[in-house]
Amino acid sequence: MTIKEKKQATLFDSLLCISFLIFILVTCLVVLKEYEISAHIPLIAGAIFSAFVAISKLKYTWKELEEGILHTINTTMQSILILLVVGMLIGTWILSGVVPSMIYWGLNILSPGIFLVATTIICAIVSISTGSSWTTAGTIGIALLGIGSALGIPVQIIAGAIISGAYFGDKMSPLSDTTNLAPAMAGTTLFDHIRHMLYTTIPALAISLIIYGIIGMKYAGNQIDTSQITQIQNALLENYNTLSPLLLLVPAAVIAMVILKVPAIPGLIIGVILGGIVSVVFQGSSIADVFLVAKSGYVSNSSMDFVNELLTRGGLDSMLGTVSLMLCALTTGGILEKTGMLEVLAKSILKVAKGTFGLIAATIFTCIGTNLAVADQYLAIVIPGSMYKDAFIKQGLSPKNLSRALEDSATITSPLIPWNTCGAYMSATLGIGSFVFLPYAFFNLLCPLISLFYGATGIGIAKLSDEEKLEVKLEI
């Protein structure tokens, strides 16, 4: 029996497979968007095409490709488990009143003089507590848009503040799927990723708040209508015995565990347990209620539809769609990585973009380009993350630099592109075109610029630790 000699993947092979993947994704997600086709099956189609090229042209066997797929999936199993725990955390935190308390007390900081600043902060609080920029914009964002319009503030500026706050929370919340997906693709841990993002996220938010504060001074003398805020707060109170500030100790405990570097899975499980205990003690829930919500999510029955939309979420089941998307993407990525196609493509790009700055710039612009071409923020994380993972290691850079760059570009720029799934949703929800609110979404514009600045100066760039170097050697 003769053993077929494998051929080395060429740039043409790589571009052929990537082009097919982009073509079928654009066809399904953009051209045929009225059919609401998800990215799952197009990704599988991309994997089938890549496998065909690998077997027929590069002489790989299916067993070898399968090994590559399983290896790639195995490297992300921790993140998949975290996502499932996060689903349970969201459910128990809503049942316990933790998430509603964040929203309830956050609404108390509204005042005319600092309306834009307060809008950004409130949307950040809601997004951090729910892990969803979409839900934040589609619920509390709409209410704030109405309140700000009554004050005479241009809607495009209000929308920019809503988007900025919503994506701050989406980027930083451990409950967010993108916050879990980015470290999974880069090969770092969830909490390391969140801590490392502080370098770019805090300055971007601080500068944004200063700009919104300056703009908002013009409207300081206007009177705010508090009736809508009162209605929202009353609706939040309807299904809970109390929304005491004491409930905020639960997320404070999880934040403390992040600071103390407690591993992500045990830390989040403790958060789930605390949520369950608080549900029983403060809200009078039964143990059965806690278990059901942890599995299937919470269903709100308040008198306001958008409060119900905001709070009806969570549960382990809610994360299964994201997990399956990851598995589909990792199947394609595993084949491209095993055959060396991603490495060839990355090397070609890095011939032009050299050094730390070049690598970070290549990542950021590839993510933005993927957002433009494929119109999906998840794929804008998955594809560049797979492409540049090894390049960061070879450059001696910690994987958390990659995961941060992915979020600073893929996650943040997605709502600014009209045909992107995020941009289309935000435009439809807020009733304002992406290009109209784009100049005022200061946080989203600043994050990639600050990330590029750090890449150029070396500020906030982490080198491979001894532990990470050991892990890389063990994988090899």
Side-chain angles (χ1 to χ4, degrees):
M1 181 178 178
T2 59
I3 299 175
K4 295 180 181 179
E5 185 177 349
K6 294 180 184 62
K7 293 182 180 180
Q8 188 172 358
T10 64
L11 180 59
F12 174 79
D13 299 326
S14 177
L15 290 175
L16 179 64
C17 293
I18 294 293
S19 297
F20 177 84
L21 178 62
I22 292 174
F23 169 77
I24 194 166
L25 285 167
V26 169
T27 300
C28 293
L29 303 182
V30 180
V31 178
L32 303 176
K33 63 180 179 181
E34 68 269 20
Y35 295 102
E36 299 182 354
I37 301 172
S38 71
H40 296 69
I41 303 305
L43 282 169
I44 293 297
I48 293 170
F49 183 84
S50 299
F52 174 77
V53 172
I55 293 171
S56 63
K57 187 174 185 296
L58 303 180
K59 309 306 179 185
Y60 278 83
T61 65
W62 170 250
K63 184 178 180 181
E64 290 169 326
L65 296 181
E66 190 178 70
E67 288 173 354
I69 293 169
L70 294 176
H71 172 75
T72 304
I73 292 174
N74 186 57
T75 60
T76 63
M77 279 307 300
Q78 183 191 48
S79 297
I80 290 173
L81 293 174
I82 287 173
L83 274 171
L84 297 176
V85 176
V86 163
M88 295 188 288
L89 185 73
I90 294 171
T92 57
W93 278 20
I94 296 176
L95 178 67
S96 65
V98 170
V99 170
S101 292
M102 288 181 170
I103 300 167
Y104 182 91
W105 294 102
L107 287 171
N108 286 337
I109 67 176
L110 274 178
S111 69
I114 59 166
F115 178 81
L116 292 172
V117 172
T119 292
T120 307
I121 293 173
I122 289 170
C123 287
I125 291 171
V126 174
S127 190
I128 285 175
S129 60
T130 62
S132 173
S133 56
W134 286 31
T135 302
T136 301
T139 53
I140 204 71
I142 293 174
L144 291 167
L145 194 67
I147 294 169
S149 298
L151 288 173
I153 303 174
V155 290
Q156 63 268 29
I157 303 178
I158 304 169
I162 291 168
I163 297 294
S164 291
Y167 274 85
F168 171 84
D170 196 320
K171 185 171 184 272
M172 295 300 295
S173 174
L175 310 183
S176 167
D177 41 15
T178 57
T179 308
N180 283 274
L181 183 59
M185 299 312 302
T188 188
T189 64
L190 172 64
F191 287 169
D192 280 347
H193 169 61
I194 292 173
R195 282 191 292 266
H196 200 56
M197 283 198 296
L198 293 172
Y199 285 97
T200 56
T201 305
I202 296 302
L205 180 65
I207 295 170
S208 299
L209 292 176
I210 290 170
I211 298 173
Y212 287 130
I214 293 171
I215 295 174
M217 290 172 63
K218 180 180 177 181
Y219 309 97
N222 298 358
Q223 293 297 315
I224 194 167
D225 179 10
T226 59
S227 61
Q228 192 170 6
I229 298 171
T230 302
Q231 288 177 6
I232 296 170
Q233 290 180 320
N234 289 338
L236 288 170
L237 286 167
E238 287 177 10
N239 294 333
Y240 298 94
N241 293 333
T242 178
L243 294 181
S244 167
L246 288 174
L247 301 182
L248 303 181
L249 292 175
V250 175
V254 174
I255 292 171
M257 286 186 280
V258 174
I259 296 171
L260 295 173
K261 299 186 177 181
V262 173
I265 293 177
L268 293 172
I269 287 175
I270 291 172
V272 174
I273 295 171
L274 290 175
I277 293 172
V278 169
S279 300
V280 174
V281 174
F282 284 85
Q283 310 302 347
S285 303
S286 66
I287 298 296
D289 291 333
V290 174
F291 277 74
L292 287 171
V293 164
K295 169 63 167 57
S296 304
Y298 182 84
V299 178
S300 175
N301 293 303
S302 76
S303 58
M304 293 188 73
D305 290 339
F306 82 79
V307 169
N308 293 335
E309 184 181 346
L310 180 64
L311 298 181
T312 300
R313 55 190 292 104
L316 184 146
D317 290 349
S318 69
M319 291 297 177
L320 296 181
T322 302
V323 169
S324 63
L325 178 67
M326 287 178 64
L327 292 175
C328 293
L330 291 167
T331 299
T332 306
I335 293 172
L336 296 174
E337 186 174 355
K338 178 69 175 181
T339 56
M341 294 187 199
L342 288 179
E343 184 179 3
V344 169
L345 185 58
K347 281 181 178 178
S348 300
I349 295 173
L350 294 174
K351 284 179 181 178
V352 180
K354 297 180 179 179
T356 300
F357 173 73
L359 185 54
I360 290 175
T363 303
I364 288 173
F365 288 114
T366 303
C367 288
I368 294 173
T370 307
N371 257 333
L372 288 165
V374 181
D376 186 84
Q377 66 171 343
Y378 298 111
L379 300 176
I381 291 173
V382 169
I383 295 173
S386 300
M387 282 175 58
Y388 297 114
K389 181 178 179 181
D390 291 340
F392 272 78
I393 299 296
K394 290 178 181 177
Q395 193 75 29
L397 300 175
S398 172
K400 60 189 176 185
N401 295 298
L402 171 58
S403 64
R404 184 177 71 189
L406 293 174
E407 290 251 58
D408 283 338
S409 50
T411 301
I412 291 300
T413 64
S414 59
L416 308 181
I417 300 167
W419 56 88
N420 188 283
T421 51
C422 296
Y425 175 85
M426 293 300 168
S427 295
T429 300
L430 300 176
I432 304 163
S434 294
F435 287 157
V436 178
F437 64 66
L438 184 151
Y440 304 100
F442 300 122
F443 176 78
N444 302 66
L445 296 172
L446 285 166
C447 276
L449 295 177
I450 293 173
S451 192
L452 288 170
F453 172 76
Y454 285 168
T457 60
I459 298 172
I461 302 298
K463 301 293 184 181
L464 277 174
S465 65
D466 292 337
E467 182 181 347
E468 287 170 333
K469 288 177 181 177
L470 180 61
E471 289 178 359
V472 171
K473 287 181 181 178
L474 288 174
E475 284 187 13
I476 295 173

